[in-house]
Amino acid sequence: MTEWIMHNEPLIRMGFFFGMLGLMALWEIAAPRRALTISKAVRWTNNLGLVFFNSLLVRLIFPAAAVGIAAFAAEQGWGIFNYHSVPFWLAVLVSVVAMDFIIYLQHVMVHAVPALWRLHRMHHADLDFDVTTGARFHPLEIILSLLIKFATIIVLGPPVVAVVIFEVVLNATAMFNHSNIRLPLGLDRVLRWLVVTPDMHRVHHSVEDDEANSNFGFNLPWWDRLLGTYRDQPRAGHEGMSIGIHKYRDPKQVAWIHGMLLLPFIGKVSEYAINRRTWSQPNED
Ligand SMILES: [Zn+2]
Ligand SMILES: [Zn+2]
């Protein structure tokens, strides 16, 4: 089983990625939440072009991937779940939830640390919010995420299956909760107790500092509620709110790949640190 998963992991992930992308794209056409400011052709070419570039880069730098690290940790007997014998289902469940919590903490960290915000702001600079936003991250942030994930796996020792489940689920929920779809409000209210919904995560993409400093969860919505970063709705409403970063509104800079790749390197690091109003001010205005 583990062997089969290890062997087919890239295919499993790709299958889920394209399946979910197609599904959400059709849903966005059938029931859109907001009108886009940048054409779909430009958004898809550049955001997905970047995803393609990132995938190649990651394969090149880290051919073993997260499942490889999990298998290696198991062989060596490293990590909590390889050291203690715990029922398999419990190890899988706790691993998936724990990895999601680490992603939440990492997300708070990349907002709070000015130099890391430079990498993460490329995700936020998107002027619209749709399924392709969910996959657009700067390659340096992807590498940082992977290193944190590898460290988590070595400490935790999760079953290989848990890592695959986590990656597939996180990928699917990220595309779901970034999508430009209109969900019935009643359904959203119930659903956001179980999973981060598009209306919940859209608040995080607001140009307003306090709104962007809330709803850090990508998958499970509980961390925001437990740790005090939950915000119900944007003040200006979902149709009236502005998405992106005040300072970066030029499509050349925020919608085209070359501009996006350069975004972390604009301006001085210290200049930003001085301008910070609160510990976690992410949006420069
Ligand atoms: Zn963010
Ligand atoms: Zn996001």
Side-chain angles (χ1 to χ4, degrees), residues 25-285:
L26 290 176
W27 197 345
E28 285 180 344
I29 294 169
R33 183 71 154 124
R34 291 165 53 98
L36 296 177
T37 54
I38 304 274
S39 79
K40 230 172 218 180
V42 171
R43 298 182 50 68
W44 278 63
T45 317
N46 287 279
N47 286 358
L48 295 183
L50 186 68
V51 173
F52 182 70
F53 172 75
N54 283 341
S55 312
L56 283 183
L57 186 74
V58 165
R59 282 277 142 200
L60 251 162
I61 308 178
F62 305 109
V67 283
I69 303 289
F72 179 71
E75 264 170 44
Q76 305 293 318
W78 289 351
I80 298 167
F81 290 122
N82 290 319
Y83 192 77
H84 299 284
S85 65
V86 173
F88 182 70
W89 66 269
L90 187 66
V92 171
L93 188 74
V94 174
S95 298
V96 170
V97 174
M99 285 190 279
D100 190 57
F101 181 52
I102 297 294
I103 294 267
Y104 166 87
L105 290 178
Q106 180 193 329
H107 192 185
V108 174
M109 177 182 81
V110 296
H111 274 256
V113 179
L116 300 182
W117 164 248
R118 288 173 163 259
L119 307 180
H120 184 60
R121 71 186 176 191
M122 200 221 80
H123 176 67
H124 280 264
D126 199 335
L127 299 174
D128 294 301
F129 181 87
D130 77 359
V131 59
T132 66
T133 313
R136 83 170 235 175
F137 288 93
H138 198 279
L140 293 176
E141 184 174 12
I142 299 263
I143 292 172
L144 174 74
S145 300
L146 268 173
L147 293 176
I148 291 173
K149 196 189 290 172
F150 292 170
T152 307
I153 289 171
I154 286 170
V155 172
L156 200 62
V160 169
V161 180
V163 175
V164 177
I165 291 175
F166 177 69
E167 304 231 285
V168 165
V169 170
L170 184 79
N171 198 247
T173 52
M175 285 199 273
F176 166 71
N177 61 40
H178 282 88
S179 64
N180 184 33
I181 58 167
R182 182 182 296 278
L183 277 182
L185 293 182
L187 178 64
D188 175 89
R189 219 164 296 143
V190 177
L191 213 56
R192 62 164 76 186
W193 283 102
L194 302 170
V195 68
V196 175
T197 64
D199 275 10
M200 183 174 162
H201 191 68
R202 193 179 297 102
V203 179
H204 181 73
H205 280 258
S206 167
V207 292
E208 303 299 336
D209 292 337
D210 55 347
E211 292 181 341
N213 272 318
S214 62
N215 300 3
F216 291 97
F218 273 121
N219 192 18
L220 295 172
W222 312 325
W223 316 123
D224 284 300
R225 296 197 188 242
L226 284 170
L227 297 171
T229 50
Y230 177 70
R231 190 176 286 261
D232 198 32
Q233 306 292 339
R235 275 185 297 277
H238 288 282
E239 265 118 291
M241 69 184 287
S242 295
I243 284 173
I245 303 176
H246 275 309
K247 218 163 97 176
Y248 306 114
R249 312 299 295 176
D250 177 5
K252 269 199 230 75
Q253 206 170 24
V254 300
W256 291 87
I257 286 188
H258 58 281
M260 281 152 62
L261 287 174
L262 288 175
L263 212 52
F265 310 105
I266 297 168
K268 285 184 196 150
V269 178
S270 54
E271 169 199 336
Y272 166 65
I274 292 161
N275 288 337
R276 294 175 76 208
R277 283 201 297 260
T278 58
W279 69 274
S280 58
Q281 189 224 344
N283 273 0
E284 299 134 275
D285 52 352

